[in-house]
Amino acid sequence: MTQASSMAGSNRPAGRINRRSKGAGPLPYDFRRPTKLSREHIRTLQIAYETFARQFTTVLTTSLRAVSQVTLLSIEQFTYDEYIASLESPTVVAKVSMEPLPGTAIVEFSLDIAMTSIDHMLGGSGGPQPQRPLTDIETPLLQGLFGRVLGELRYALEGIASVRPELIGIEYNPQFVQAGGASDPVIVASFEMKVGASEGVATVCMPLGMIFPKLQGDRTDVQLSAAQRAAREAAHRNLVAGMESVPLDVSVRFQPVRMRPEELINLRLGDVVTLNHPSTQPLAVTTAGMTFAHAVPGSHGTRLACLIVAPAKEEDR
């Protein structure tokens, strides 16, 4: 079964996106992986992606000077592996950063649509296109078109989050795109795309962790009762007390020594390795690879110890 939340009633068979189906009917639901998108979330995304579809249509029509149309089909939730497995190969897969949001988004459409678009940009009339990767001349043309499309995606998402979409790279085999873990949930918006006589389905894929916090909105203004505030304060105190009592491994370190592999191999019992740590410079007190204090060596009774001191100034070194 496929985990999905359909907006437009499109029914997708398992393992493959049905690119033209619009028939209404029951949708499969996986209770082991319940969807996290509520009806309000779907509605918010629907408004944004419908705006994107209208702007996308305008960009294609004005840039290609050909009759074009982009229509939103559905908004669904999959795992990243399910989404990648549903894509054809070869296809145009653009990896997009969405700063300041974390993760990588994907904008995908068929290679035939890409070749038809480039043909129109070069003054052609469309028609049958070769199924091959783009040449060094064709790639900048498609990247320029993507730049305008990503600008419209930024505009469409302004009501959800302020983002700066930027093209990272283009791949033709979806299996080579590493934009998330196999089991990571993603939100996939499908669009019916027409450029001249060519038709296909484009998809926009975003990690759920990227957009879901923005869909929930700012909840810092929620009014809490006195009992709820007391419970939060008690939980905070318990968390701080628990963290303060967690044992940590602490190390006192000299400056590292650089050695060649042959020197390491030839080390024998009794050999002396000279340290380059200045006697006037304190040692680094570290935990988990981070230095949080400085100390000088000493002893406490019969045990070795160190005395925490102020870090050495740059001019003293």
Side-chain angles (χ1 to χ4, degrees):
M1 289 187 293
T2 302
Q3 179 181 344
S5 298
S6 179
M7 181 279 305
S10 65
N11 187 17
R12 297 173 182 239
R16 183 177 177 82
I17 295 179
N18 184 357
R19 300 201 164 233
R20 294 304 303 274
S21 175
K22 297 184 181 178
L27 295 175
Y29 188 87
D30 191 345
F31 288 92
R32 295 170 299 179
R33 294 178 301 176
T35 179
K36 295 183 179 181
L37 293 179
S38 66
R39 186 171 300 177
E40 291 75 15
H41 296 158
I42 293 293
R43 180 57 181 163
T44 301
L45 288 173
Q46 178 185 351
I47 294 173
Y49 281 128
E50 284 178 346
T51 301
F52 174 62
R54 291 193 298 269
Q55 298 298 114
F56 199 172
T57 298
T58 302
V59 168
L60 291 178
T61 303
T62 56
S63 299
L64 310 182
R65 300 186 182 278
V67 178
S68 305
Q69 182 67 43
V70 180
T71 307
L72 178 64
L73 291 178
S74 65
I75 299 173
E76 300 170 286
Q77 181 179 327
F78 296 100
T79 64
Y80 180 74
D81 189 56
E82 289 171 344
Y83 169 67
I84 291 298
S86 70
L87 301 181
E88 299 175 353
S89 182
T91 187
V92 176
V93 183
K95 296 189 295 182
V96 179
S97 66
M98 302 288 285
E99 295 292 340
L101 301 184
T104 302
I106 290 175
V107 178
E108 175 269 339
F109 54 84
S110 70
L111 189 57
D112 182 64
I113 292 286
M115 298 296 291
T116 300
S117 300
I118 292 174
D119 191 14
H120 281 293
M121 281 190 283
L122 295 177
S125 59
Q129 301 294 327
Q131 293 295 305
R132 57 166 176 78
L134 303 181
T135 65
D136 292 340
I137 296 178
E138 295 166 341
T139 299
L141 295 176
L142 185 63
Q143 289 175 340
L145 181 62
F146 260 120
R148 294 191 60 186
V149 171
L150 294 181
E152 302 304 334
L153 181 61
R154 177 196 60 78
Y155 171 76
L157 294 176
E158 279 185 349
I160 301 175
S162 178
V163 297
R164 300 185 300 274
E166 183 175 346
L167 181 64
I168 299 176
I170 296 176
E171 293 285 351
Y172 303 101
N173 188 337
Q175 301 299 326
F176 293 161
V177 180
Q178 300 296 327
S183 60
D184 291 348
V186 295
I187 301 175
V188 180
S190 300
F191 302 84
E192 185 178 27
M193 190 173 178
K194 298 179 181 179
V195 176
S198 298
E199 298 183 8
V201 167
T203 59
V204 176
C205 171
M206 290 188 185
L208 183 65
M210 170 191 289
I211 198 67
F212 187 68
K214 298 300 181 180
L215 291 174
Q216 288 183 303
D218 187 6
R219 297 173 181 250
T220 58
D221 57 349
V222 177
Q223 296 296 327
L224 300 178
S225 64
Q228 290 174 324
R229 286 196 297 270
R232 283 196 174 188
E233 292 172 359
H236 177 73
R237 289 195 299 270
N238 293 336
L239 177 62
V240 172
M243 293 298 294
E244 289 178 347
S245 62
V246 173
L248 296 174
D249 292 329
V250 178
S251 303
V252 180
R253 297 182 178 179
F254 293 89
Q255 282 188 355
V257 177
R258 186 182 297 273
M259 301 181 67
R260 295 190 297 273
E262 61 179 355
E263 295 174 332
L264 291 176
I265 296 174
N266 294 328
L267 283 178
R268 297 293 182 268
L269 187 65
D271 288 351
V272 176
V273 177
T274 303
L275 301 179
N276 296 326
H277 193 101
S279 58
T280 57
Q281 183 175 334
L283 310 181
V285 184
T286 66
T287 182
M290 296 185 299
T291 300
F292 64 91
H294 294 82
V296 294
S299 61
H300 183 72
T302 59
R303 295 185 177 183
L304 292 176
C306 65
L307 176 65
I308 303 297
V309 296
K313 296 181 179 180
E314 200 66 32
E315 57 269 18
D316 296 339
R317 299 181 182 180

